[in-house]
Every structure is written in structure tokens, then in C-alpha cells.
Amino acid sequence: MISTYETIQVEEKDGAAYLYFNRPDAMNALNLEMIKELADSLKAIAMKDDIHILVLSGNGKAFSAGGDIKAMLAMEEEKGFISFMDQINEVVSILTGMPKLTIAAINGAAAGLGLSLALACDTIISDLDSKIAMNFIGIGLVPDGGGHYLLQRRIGQEKAKKVIWEGKVMSAEEAAETGIIDEAVPDLALAVDQKITEWQKKPVLAMIKTKKIYTELNRPDFNKSLELEKHAQWKMRQTKDHKEGIRAFVEKRAPQFKGE
């Protein structure tokens, strides 16, 4: 069964749901419409008792290049921006607490908010040719979508801080060596199928229950991180460095930051 929204595509097959970001012409950049449809589709999947596994991926040549910069620049008022951030936080909360086993299948670029969503999954498998980046720093911003908490959860606070500050574009192999992702593979579809088969041979309900326990144990810290990111992001949007970062991005040149 295939369910198609405007920006999201969902397919269900053999006890697994496959959710694809579906803005291939925009490298699956996340705009307001996609965020809303992602929340709706994730809620629908969460309610299905016959689905135990969710695979998150992207149509076209990218997993997701992150938040849609043009859409975010249009949000000049604090109220509108905070509302958008609240919707991002809702999505990542649903995904992190999803009562299913989740796989992020990274094809192409996974950057910024796109990487945060991948980090919200239980297992991350990437194609060898993919590029991985927590690159908010390049436009004078901080990670959102739970990026601080989720990256720290995988590699520890000190390593996470360095990854965020560097904003480096990593190969899939480098990201796997760092611990940001679990596997870098030559055949993504085959590796995902093998993981699904491995899980389906196990008592999957017991695995999901363990996930729920950890989700509840960690929820206070995760929620605090989301709130801190939301307000920090608005503050960073007012800085001269952010404005310079955006100008440099549009003009395709290196930014000249001044710490202002």
C-alpha cells in the first residue's frame, strides 16, 4: 500500500513502513508543508499495530539537505519562527519516541536538520557515496531538531561539540568511524533489507518496549534540549554572522565571520 502526500511518500510492505522525503528537486529540504506532512504521516504509522519497523529515506539524490533556507528566511517575525520551530520539535519528538524500530537509510546528502532526523532513528545506514554534515555553523546557527542531544547521545558531548563547531562535510565512512552513523555500505537497499530481516527474526515487541523505557528515561533532558535550541536559534538569527553566512551561501563564497 502506498500513501502519497504532497511532500512525503509512505509505502507499507511486509510489516514495515517506508517513509520517503519527496521534494527531490529541492534535495528534500524541509519546508513548513513537509514538516506538517511528516508529523501527520509519522502519527499515522505510530498507530498501526501491524507495522513494527519504519525506514526513513529520501527520493531522488538526497536524504535531506536540511531546513529549507528560503522558507526560513521568509519568517522574519519571532512568533512565526518559534511556531515553525515548535513544529520541527514535534516531528523529532514523534520520531524519537516512535513505538517502532526505526532505520534511517541515507542516500546522498544528510545535512543540518536532515541529519538531526536521521540521528533520531535507532539505526543509521548510509550509502558509501553519501555525505554527512552537521553544518549549521556555516550560516552562523546552532543545530536544531534535537541535534545537540541526539549527536551527544551517539558520540559523547566533547566529540559532539567538535563536530558541531567544525561543521565539516564527512564521507559516510568517516561518519561511521566517528560513530555518528552505524554503517556505510555499498548497497543500501540490500543492507536495509538485511537489517529488517534480522530484526523480524527477533522478539520485536520486547525490543520496542526497551526503546520505550529509554525514551521515557531520557525525555526530560531531550525536551529541555529542544527548548534551548529553539530560543538559541532565534537569537542566532539576529546576529551579523548569521546574515553574513546567508549572504555568503547565496553568493557561493566563503563567509567572513566577525563574532558579532
Side-chain angles (χ1 to χ4, degrees), residues 1-12 16-22 30 32-49 51 53-57 87 90-92 94-95 98-100 102 117:
M1 183 176 74
I2 299 177
S3 302
T4 303
Y5 300 78
E6 290 296 320
T7 64
I8 298 292
Q9 180 181 324
V10 179
E11 179 181 356
E12 297 175 22
Y18 299 78
L19 189 156
Y20 300 93
F21 303 124
N22 194 28
L30 293 126
L32 182 57
E33 182 180 17
M34 182 183 276
I35 291 293
K36 289 179 177 179
E37 291 191 345
L38 185 54
D40 290 344
S41 56
L42 287 173
K43 288 175 184 176
I45 292 167
M47 297 296 291
K48 292 181 177 288
D49 292 336
I51 297 294
I53 296 170
L54 166 65
V55 179
L56 192 68
S57 196
Q87 291 179 73
E90 180 189 20
V91 165
V92 75
I94 296 168
L95 182 56
M98 175 68 63
K100 317 291 177 188
T102 55
L117 291 173

Side-chain angles (χ1 to χ4, degrees), residues 77-87 230-231 234:
E77 298 297 325
E78 182 175 5
K79 184 177 180 181
F81 179 79
I82 293 298
S83 175
F84 180 61
M85 289 293 296
D86 282 337
Q87 291 179 73
K230 176 174 68 176
H231 296 292
W234 173 252

